[in-house]
Amino acid sequence: DAGVTQSPTHLIKTRGQHVTLRCSPISGHKSVSWYQQVLGQGPQFIFQYYEKEERGRGNFPDRFSARQFPNYSSELNVNALLLGDSALYLCASSLVVGRYNEQFFGPGTRLTVL
Amino acid sequence: SQQGEEDPQALSIQEGENATMNCSYKTSINNLQWYRQNSGRGLVHLILIRSNEREKHSGRLRVTLDTSKKSSSLLITASRAADTASYFCATEKDSNYQLIWGAGTKLIIKP
């Protein structure tokens, strides 16, 4: 079975632009979470979606938005890019939302903002 | 903000030696998880220990949890070159099941 897939692998944008990152969860998984990982730090939680509804949001500005589609894939959108948005964006899927639910991570999208 | 803090930030040992990494956290948790990340890519789940457990084993991995001290340790025995990676602890909060991560320990195994 395919794992979590993310696209694109790498992306270079300039300040002020907009970016859309995509994630396909493991087949059968209904929950998707997004994380931002700045170089040298641990991941920071951005969003969690379950059954197409937002279940959690981290401490990120409104420039960050996301959605989940009926097939459980997800998009993360970032508007008005800043240099500080340069990071590895990780998507994780899990069967459901709840305690002890193991998350499976994709390889990430490396975003560079110039 | 990050919940956990790993210690040390970096660790370099010889192949065959044991590696111990520590994690401290601040608030009450459902469980604590350890992940491995190679070369800044995707994270691989290693082991999950529940808040009512004190020790757990998986192959060469041994994890302990002390909820009174809000700390955990990950022991990798008989290290191999392939264990070279960054190791992160993540805590799951009771209120919203979100994972809060530490900054990681970078482990280098020298052949």
Side-chain angles (χ1 to χ4, degrees):
Chain A
D1 286 339
V4 177
T5 59
Q6 292 186 245
S7 64
T9 305
H10 293 87
L11 203 52
I12 299 175
K13 292 283 190 177
T14 56
R15 281 179 297 176
Q17 285 189 314
H18 161 271
V19 69
T20 298
L21 311 180
R22 296 177 175 83
C23 170
S24 292
I26 291 173
S27 177
H29 284 195
K30 297 182 179 180
S31 178
V32 169
S33 296
W34 286 96
Y35 296 86
Q36 180 196 66
Q37 187 179 21
V38 174
L39 194 62
Q41 297 183 18
Q44 296 271 353
F45 171 76
I46 310 175
F47 286 110
Q48 183 179 59
Y49 276 79
Y50 177 66
E51 290 281 17
K52 302 182 288 292
E53 290 189 3
E54 182 182 304
R55 288 298 189 97
R57 184 186 182 113
N59 189 24
F60 278 81
D62 292 343
R63 299 184 296 108
F64 288 76
S65 63
R67 54 180 176 168
Q68 187 178 33
F69 299 100
N71 66 353
Y72 303 111
S73 67
S74 178
E75 282 183 356
L76 175 70
N77 295 283
V78 187
N79 292 323
L81 285 167
L82 303 174
L83 295 179
D85 295 331
S86 295
L88 180 68
Y89 288 85
L90 294 161
C91 171
S93 77
S94 58
L95 275 170
V96 292
V97 172
R99 284 189 179 187
Y100 318 127
N101 221 331
E102 182 179 347
Q103 296 192 21
F104 296 82
F105 283 81
T109 293
R110 175 77 62 189
L111 172 65
T112 301
V113 182
L114 301 176
Chain B
S1 61
Q2 302 204 265
Q3 156 93 305
E5 292 185 7
E6 283 92 341
D7 169 58
Q9 289 185 329
L11 179 62
S12 180
I13 60 174
Q14 292 293 137
E15 193 168 20
E17 294 181 338
N18 295 341
T20 299
M21 288 159 273
N22 303 296
C23 168
S24 60
Y25 57 93
K26 298 172 185 171
T27 64
S28 62
I29 60 172
N30 279 333
N31 63 75
L32 186 145
Q33 305 178 32
W34 285 91
Y35 286 79
R36 184 185 74 228
Q37 185 176 42
N38 292 87
S39 302
R41 299 304 288 176
L43 291 140
V44 175
H45 184 268
L46 295 176
I47 198 164
L48 180 154
I49 186 165
R50 300 185 180 196
S51 58
N52 61 352
E53 297 176 313
R54 291 297 166 258
E55 188 172 312
K56 204 160 182 182
H57 297 255
S58 176
R60 294 184 295 113
L61 306 180
R62 172 178 171 257
V63 169
T64 61
L65 179 64
D66 187 335
T67 52
S68 66
K69 295 181 179 178
K70 291 186 169 60
S71 68
S72 173
S73 68
L74 170 67
L75 168 68
I76 303 174
T77 60
S79 63
R80 305 168 182 169
D83 295 329
T84 294
S86 291
Y87 291 81
F88 294 89
C89 70
T91 52
E92 183 185 276
K93 292 170 66 175
D94 192 30
S95 56
N96 56 20
Y97 313 125
Q98 294 173 13
L99 288 181
I100 308 298
W101 300 75
T105 292
K106 188 169 185 177
L107 176 65
I108 298 172
I109 309 298
K110 296 178 287 186

